[in-house]
Amino acid sequence: MQRHFHFIVVFLLTSLFSFAQQPKKPTSSEIYESIKKLNFLGSVLYVAAHPDDENTRLISFMSNEVKARTAYLSLTRGDGGQNLVGPEIRELLGVIRTQELLAARRTDGGEQLFTRANDFGYSKHPDETLAIWNKEEVLSDVVLAIRKFKPDVIINRFNHRNPGTTHGHHTSSAMLSIEAFDLVGDKNSYPNQLSSVDTWQPKRLFFNTSWWFYGSEENFEKADKTNLLEIDTGVYFPSSGLSNTEIAALSRSQHKSQGFGSTGSRGTQIEYIELIKGDLPSDRDNIFEGIDTSWNRIEGGQAIGDILHGVQDQYDFKNPSASIPELVRAYKAIQDLNDSHWKNIKTNEIKDIIAACAGLYLEVSSDTNHTAAGSTINLNIEVINRSDSNIILSSIVNPNQIQIDKNLKLDNNADYDFKETIKINANQDVSTPYWLRKKGSLGMYAVTDKSLIGKPETPSDLDVVFNLNIENVNISYTKPIVYKTNDPVKGEVYKPFEIIPVASAKISEGVIILDSDAQREIEVIVKAGRDNLEGYVQLAHPNDWNVYPEKQKVSIANRGQEQRLTFTIIPPKEQSEGLLTPMVHVGEKIYTRELIEIDYDHIPFQTVLLPSESKIVRLDIQKRGKNIGYIEGAGDVVPESLRQIGYDVTIINPEDISAENLNGFDAVVLGIRAYNTVETLKFKQQLLFDYVAQGGNMIVQYNTNRRLKVDNIAPYELKLSRDRVTDEFADVTLLASNHEVLNYPNKITVKDFEGWTQERGLYFPNEWADEFIPILSMNDKDETAKTGSLLVAKYGKGHYIYTGLSFFREFPAGVSGAYRLFANMLSIGKNNIN
């Protein structure tokens, strides 16, 4: 089977297809660049707080131009951000953004590291951040990352000297990096780590500054640049036809859930780094000055360097396999090194290069993308050597550690296929992100297996080992089991092979809101992880709720199939809330987790197991009006939430907005960041304002003040700011206690702001016309009151409402007061309707 990709095409396709477990197929030019990197023994660690904080220009430059081993340490997985590609928030968004970071590193050539810190949302000061994160634990993780990676140079993205002027996570990342720099070489600091890693001392620590940190370009021009190094990251790579900044843009564009698509640039691009610790290089173009980055830096390395520099000098672009004998010779010498750190790194690098030079293709694919522990699966194993090199497949070791002898000489371009059947160990762990296996805290993920701390994703332990003899030297390659299929549109598509529970279950609705004591049917979906699943389902529920029937039988013939069961829930007469959990009884075991699948083209398919819980709320709520038009923005669940409480919600295609189409709605709601993401609204805005003037009710949810698609977001003057209230417990004052929006049809009190999650709201307006009435006041500790969270204006015969309150977070959490307030917003102007 022929598989040929050109270097540039690989970059361009990164954003189009899933790279889940897809085998690397490097070109001759890429192999040569890898050999050059093999001859560089130096490391750079870039440190910041979130996915998308990293400077991809510097990471790509260090990796592709300098040839340094380069990694990005993101303290969090970005769980607290917004999602522009779908409805996932919190830990599921963290899973998406983790994979986007890995896609970015595949593009710019870096590696990816993390700590256990949970992105709990925006923080205004590092004191708050480090209290919620557990400073000692996160600092321990940063120290561990440095000791494992052993960087010669560390570069911080943010300034440690200005706490309180930017995101608290940002400043904290720099502060922790600086503190760790002084601890990593001390054997008395976190001594428990020294059983698995050694102490280490980086040479220098820099801050990646720019004019932005000085307030203006004019201030930056006047600043003392004695401790600053200038790096031109705009270099051009003829081997790929791309500039470094174009590669960096492709890398940054992987952050699709944040809307960070970036256009590549060409020409000189100066980056500035300020020395914070260590000695200042006299050669301002070389951050590695005084550090031996050749093979001479390790004992026994000079001879290896001599071999590999010869390989580099004599490399044949038309026949990379000509380099294999000398590469194998160098591989053998590397195995004799005493320096385990560089030995492991360079062993992995040179093995990949040897395989690439040979056109060696090794793949293990399953006949299914998932199964349960204890099940039997069929494997297809493909081996092909596309060179004249002397390569023998000695044996294969399957995931059960059973060695299968082959002793097969691999002839040039002869494709060998083997069929194997294996039984998955009955104790095999299910596949899920390791940091989500156990419930953590607001600020920290709980990781029981300490060896996993820092890893970007759960390592595969269902692997096949190929024991090869290449030019009379034994070299082993480990490959994970994958699932491969053909899509009529996308062609060859890969998914990870994963272990799922024998049974999983979910309730079709994550939040169930009942506005009366009338009973309601709900659907429970059970998924089988094995064939011939038999059992029964019960629902755990609050004591004041009733469920009928008490249990129902489950019988599913084939793994992967689902069975849907209908239960009736009967709420109490009074307001009440709690959790509903399906329990699947199979034999002596009870399964209570939900299997969540995340499937986007730009990242690998992801399987996540979380506790299966739906919040049930018997809500005291009144409504006026029925038909709601919804213009979607950046992925939220507000439409589904409004349907929960009895509204008929119609999704309006922005292209179809017209006076006629709007007239039938009691209210029109714009989704979060609609004015940031929907280009068409610039041409439809006046139609929406006309709808309000004719008696309509228009509700606009939060937008950011950057990249607005419209000139005016309201019929009157309204300016957005970055004002936000991050404390979900912050006191709320009712400024307009007699206003209709707080009284009809539901009486809103401060009690309705209890139980909010993550934040009160964000990007509040800070300037508005006199026609607007501010309804609420709130603020974080030691800050001035923010009164722009909910603004109401009469316009013509109707009402325009702008709100920065985070309904998109509160609805999925089943916050009663958020539903009641939004119902009032939808009902405004209708107090004459019975």
Side-chain angles (χ1 to χ4, degrees), residues 436-493:
L436 297 178
R437 285 176 176 165
K438 185 178 178 182
K439 186 174 178 60
S441 64
L442 173 63
M444 296 293 294
Y445 281 118
V447 179
T448 303
D449 184 349
K450 302 304 181 186
S451 69
L452 296 175
I453 293 174
K455 294 184 182 295
E457 54 187 343
T458 309
S460 169
D461 55 2
L462 289 170
D463 300 324
V464 170
V465 178
F466 295 82
N467 293 320
L468 302 177
N469 183 281
I470 303 176
E471 299 293 342
N472 298 314
V473 174
N474 294 325
I475 303 177
S476 296
Y477 290 89
T478 301
K479 297 292 181 179
I481 300 173
V482 297
Y483 173 68
K484 182 172 66 174
T485 188
N486 183 71
D487 183 274
V489 175
K490 300 174 185 176
E492 188 178 66
V493 174

Side-chain angles (χ1 to χ4, degrees), residues 96 136 218 262-264 279 307 322 324 377 392 457 515 578 645 647 674 686 776 803:
I96 292 172
E136 278 305 306
E218 183 180 2
S262 182
T263 300
D279 60 311
I307 298 171
I324 291 177
I377 61 167
I392 297 171
E457 54 187 343
D515 58 0
I645 54 175
Y647 287 103
Q686 189 56 51
L776 307 171
T803 178

Side-chain angles (χ1 to χ4, degrees), residues 374-392:
S375 298
T376 298
I377 61 167
N378 299 314
L379 300 180
N380 181 68
I381 300 173
E382 182 183 2
V383 180
I384 185 168
N385 163 33
R386 290 170 286 191
S387 74
D388 288 326
S389 295
N390 181 23
I391 302 178
I392 297 171

